[in-house]
Each structure stands twice: as C-alpha cells, then as structure tokens.
Amino acid sequence: MRIALVNLKFPDRDGDCITIEDGFIAAFGLSGRYDRAFDLNGHTVLPGAVDVHAHLREPGYEYKETILRATESAAKGGITRAFAMPNVIPVPDCPENLFAETRLFERDAKIKIYPFGALTKGEKGESLSDIEGLSAYLKAYSDDGFCVNDLSLLEEGMYRVKAVGGIIASHAERRGAADSEAAEYEAVEEELELVKRTGVRYHFCHLSTKRSFDLIRRAVAEGADVTCEVTPHHLTLDKSMIKNADWKMNPPLRSAEDVRATVDALTEGVATIVATDHAPHSAEEKARAYEKAPNGILGFETMFPAIYTALVASGRLSLSRLSEAVTAAPAKRFGTDHGRIAIGERAEIIALDTTDARRYTAEEILGKAVNSPYIGMEMTGFNAFTMVGEKVLYKASDIKEV
Ligand code: DOR
Ligand code: ZN
Ligand code: ZN
C-alpha cells in the first residue's frame, strides 16, 4: 500500500510531503498513484516519542486505567513506545508474573510497550526479585513508586543487574523525609556512591531539585554511568500553582527556582531524557481531600504541548532538542529503537500543531482517568496525527483524508 502524507513541515529540512510504502518511508516527495493520502494541515512532523516512565495500571488497577485506553491516550499524545512501571498486581518480579502483564500488552496495547521488571520482590524493598530470570525478557529494572532504602540490598541489586547487562531506574526518595527536597537529593547522593562503586548503568527518574542536578552533573564529570529524566510537570509547573489533588504527585511540584534548575538541567544536557510519569487515578480518589488523595497525574496527552508552550515557543529549548529528549536519548539509554524520519525507515511519525493554541479539556482525554492539572490551560504544540507502519493510530479532527 502507498500512503501519501501531504502539506506537512519538517523541523529541519525543506519539503512538504512523505511517501510511505508498505509501512516504510519511501520518499520525501510524491509520484504516481496512492492508495491513501492525508493532509497534515501544515503541522510539523517528528518521530514518535519513547516514554520511559509510565504507569498503565493493568493488571490489578483496572478501576484507575486500562492498557487499551492508556495506550490510545499515549498515541493521541504522540507517544508510540512506552515503558510500563511495575507497580501492578501481580508485581512483575519473576517471569510468570511478568507474563501476566505482557500477555495483556499483546492483547490490548495500541503502541509498543516495554515492561520494567521489579528490582525487589513485590516492590517491597526487602529481597531482590528474580533479576536473572527476568533478564531473558527485559533489561530495565525499577521499584518506581518506592525507593529501595536498604542500601546494602540496593548495592547487591546493582551488581546483579550489572551482571545481566541491565539498567536500574531509580525513584530516589529517602524514607521519613516525605516530600522534602532533601528526601530526593539525599537519596540521589547515597545512590550515586553505590553507582560509582558498582559501575552499574543507572537512571534517576523524575529529578526535581537543583541539588539533585548538581550531584548528577558532578557524577557524570567523574565518569559514572548515570542519566536522569525530567518530567513535563516539573519543567512547567511550580508549587504556587497547586489548586487541588490533580496537582499532587511524587516528587511534588517544587519552587520556581527548582523549576528553573530543572529547565537548565535539560537545556544544558545534565538531564538528557524527558519522561511523563503518566499516573492515572480514579476520579473518586482524586476528589478526596488533598492530603488523602494518591500521588500522580496524567502526562501522555500534554507532554508535547506543555513543554512546547513553556519552553519551545519562548525559544529556551529548540524543537529538535525536545524531540531528541523523547526519542534518540531514551532509546539509546534503554536499548530500544525509535522512529527516524528517513528513507528506508519504518514509519513512526507524529505531527505537532505548532501554530494554533487551544484549551485542553477533560472531554478530549482518551484515557479513563482525567487527573490532569493541564485541563483548562491554553497551549500550543498538541499532536494531531500519529502513524506507525501503515496504521493511523490517532488523527485530530483537522486532519483530513484526501
Ligand atoms: O506521582 C507518582 N505516581 N509518583 C510515583 O512515584 C508513583 C506514581 C503512581 O504510581 O501513581
Ligand atoms: Zn517515581
Ligand atoms: Zn512513576
């Protein structure tokens, strides 16, 4: 099948159309006959994003979200691959539990999903999971949602993950210092010591404080094999904006100064990866009093517009740097592939509307959950079209098949 995408923009080259043949990019131009053609309305094409931090909630928490609806929401947001965090039931801490999850990915996922294996059994931080058994099926381990505060257990986990050629994604948060900035950077500091000692490949999730980035900057300079991610919300929102539990997540929103430090970390390349920490919860849970509501906000559909509006439109971050932080950088670090918009590559293409601003609404959310602080905000840079191979996974109403 031959598919033409017309009336589009490239971020870094001239031209306004792409020919896709049997799911592969065949030409930047048009010739001959097409089976289907889409008018992309002048939008800017980029490779689909790889989100290395997502909570899909299934199996076990279907009342919050399902794999089917979460991945439809991801496709709408321009995310074509995502890593699923292991806080589901059963926790994927051994192959059998992992299969309970991956069977559902195969059945329901609309985009490519990679599972994280749990680092400790049941994510309880008491004993290590079947790291070797899991390693036949995955290379990324995390106890996200929890921090492994037992440093000798963590160190042993580092050696075992290193031995299987894996990587650990750490939710660094020192127990007992809930929500404070020190809870994060003190855990980062302790874990970095072990990373240097063991030589494990290590990735810090959702860093959010200036001190954390200073520690990462120094560790990288010292040669540690360490990376970190920043989230759209820590790049664009601060704690003075908190209105209700839809603004509650872990780590929490920080000061405006920490937001500036987070942006600097990204623009200076201390943080090389942007990931959403997409964390759906039910309306009932988020309607509770702020203190009683669970941590976590949606991220898939607002990753591009939140960052585009706050940082790209203002010239602080180029669109190609943003794209790199959600494609090449996470793919390289986590050992996956990602789409490249080049002749001969499989089509994995999204298209951002970088001209019109519009308000994000609860009604448009494709997932089951609606816990987003971005609802009601006017933003630019929404994804309008997602195509993988020959499949159109999402098409906004302004995109017409012609
Ligand atoms: O905000 C968060 N939500 N942070 C976490 O660490 C866990 C996550 C969740 O599972 O809801
Ligand atoms: Zn976390
Ligand atoms: Zn998380």
Side-chain angles (χ1 to χ4, degrees):
M1 180 159 68
R2 278 160 68 81
I3 301 173
L5 306 180
V6 303
N7 189 22
L8 54 81
K9 277 203 293 273
F10 294 100
D12 50 6
R13 65 195 308 276
D14 292 335
D16 65 359
C17 55
I18 298 175
T19 296
I20 293 157
E21 235 174 284
D22 299 329
F24 288 81
I25 298 172
F28 294 127
L30 294 180
S31 73
R33 299 177 63 84
Y34 292 85
D35 302 292
R36 300 182 79 181
F38 296 91
D39 181 336
L40 296 196
N41 200 19
H43 299 333
T44 304
V45 292
L46 295 174
V50 181
D51 185 355
V52 296
H53 191 143
H55 298 273
L56 305 185
R57 305 301 191 208
E58 210 185 345
Y61 299 98
E62 293 79 4
Y63 75 94
K64 294 177 193 273
E65 189 55 281
T66 62
I67 290 166
L68 175 68
R69 300 215 28 204
T71 55
E72 285 174 351
S73 181
K76 174 171 183 268
I79 292 160
T80 51
R81 304 175 191 230
F83 279 69
M85 281 298 178
N87 55 342
V88 291
I89 308 171
V91 172
D93 53 12
C94 63
E96 188 192 348
N97 288 355
L98 175 70
F99 299 154
E101 186 185 8
T102 52
R103 263 197 300 276
L104 299 179
F105 297 159
E106 279 155 32
R107 193 188 69 186
D108 291 344
K110 299 292 179 195
I111 65 166
K112 172 80 184 161
I113 302 295
Y114 305 90
F116 270 102
L119 184 59
T120 72
K121 263 190 204 129
E123 282 198 308
K124 288 190 187 342
E126 293 164 0
S127 61
L128 293 172
S129 64
D130 182 1
I131 289 168
E132 294 74 18
L134 288 168
S135 73
Y137 311 100
L138 52 82
K139 287 285 177 270
Y141 299 81
S142 182
D143 263 13
D144 186 57
F146 308 97
C147 181
V148 182
N149 276 284
D150 177 343
L151 294 179
S152 60
L153 184 73
L154 180 60
E155 184 172 4
E156 190 194 334
M158 288 181 179
Y159 280 118
R160 283 174 54 184
V161 169
K162 185 185 178 190
V164 299
I167 182 168
I168 294 175
S170 164
H171 171 115
E173 181 187 19
R174 196 177 214 178
R175 206 186 347 233
D179 272 12
S180 72
E181 308 203 338
E184 178 181 293
Y185 63 70
E186 287 178 5
V188 170
E189 186 160 30
E190 288 174 340
E191 292 176 22
L192 278 173
E193 283 311 307
L194 303 183
V195 171
K196 284 185 246 172
R197 184 145 78 220
T198 61
V200 70
R201 296 167 60 222
Y202 211 73
H203 175 77
F204 285 97
C205 299
H206 46 52
L207 291 187
S208 61
T209 77
K210 184 172 185 308
R211 294 270 294 264
S212 299
F213 298 117
D214 291 343
L215 289 163
I216 300 294
R217 188 183 288 109
R218 198 179 329 142
V220 168
E222 289 168 8
D225 193 353
V226 63
T227 50
C228 68
E229 76 198 20
V230 291
T231 67
H233 45 279
H234 293 120
L235 287 166
T236 62
L237 309 174
D238 71 62
K239 64 183 176 189
S240 74
M241 303 170 174
I242 295 173
K243 294 189 181 67
N244 53 45
D246 285 347
W247 299 66
K248 182 178 180 186
M249 76 293 286
N250 186 18
L253 295 179
R254 306 289 192 186
S255 66
E257 192 193 345
D258 280 324
V259 172
R260 272 194 298 278
T262 307
V263 172
D264 289 346
L266 180 62
T267 58
E268 291 167 12
V270 174
T272 50
I273 294 171
V274 168
T276 64
D277 200 1
H278 183 81
H281 291 290
S282 73
E284 183 276 317
E285 290 169 312
K286 282 298 197 178
R288 293 176 196 161
Y290 186 85
E291 296 69 32
K292 297 225 162 82
N295 283 311
I297 63 162
L298 303 183
F300 285 159
E301 298 186 13
T302 48
M303 177 179 79
F304 277 113
I307 298 176
Y308 192 93
T309 304
L311 302 180
V312 181
S314 64
R316 286 200 282 172
L317 182 74
S318 71
L319 184 56
S320 57
R321 279 297 306 283
L322 169 57
S323 179
E324 195 185 329
V326 295
T327 57
K332 177 160 181 265
R333 187 61 173 157
F334 286 82
T336 69
D337 203 359
H338 67 94
R340 286 176 200 78
I341 301 187
I343 308 294
E345 295 286 335
R346 184 155 182 270
E348 188 169 340
I349 298 171
I350 63 171
L352 305 189
D353 179 352
T354 59
T355 42
D356 291 333
R358 68 172 181 81
R359 227 169 266 289
Y360 187 54
T361 68
E363 293 69 39
E364 73 180 86
I365 296 175
L366 293 186
K368 194 165 163 177
V370 292
N371 51 312
S372 169
Y374 294 100
I375 290 170
M377 284 191 203
E378 182 143 309
M379 296 184 284
T380 313
F382 284 93
N383 178 53
F385 183 78
T386 304
M387 178 164 202
V388 176
E390 297 188 320
K391 271 202 190 132
V392 176
L393 299 183
Y394 175 72
K395 190 163 78 60
S397 58
D398 67 321
I399 306 297
K400 302 277 183 264
E401 184 156 5
V402 289

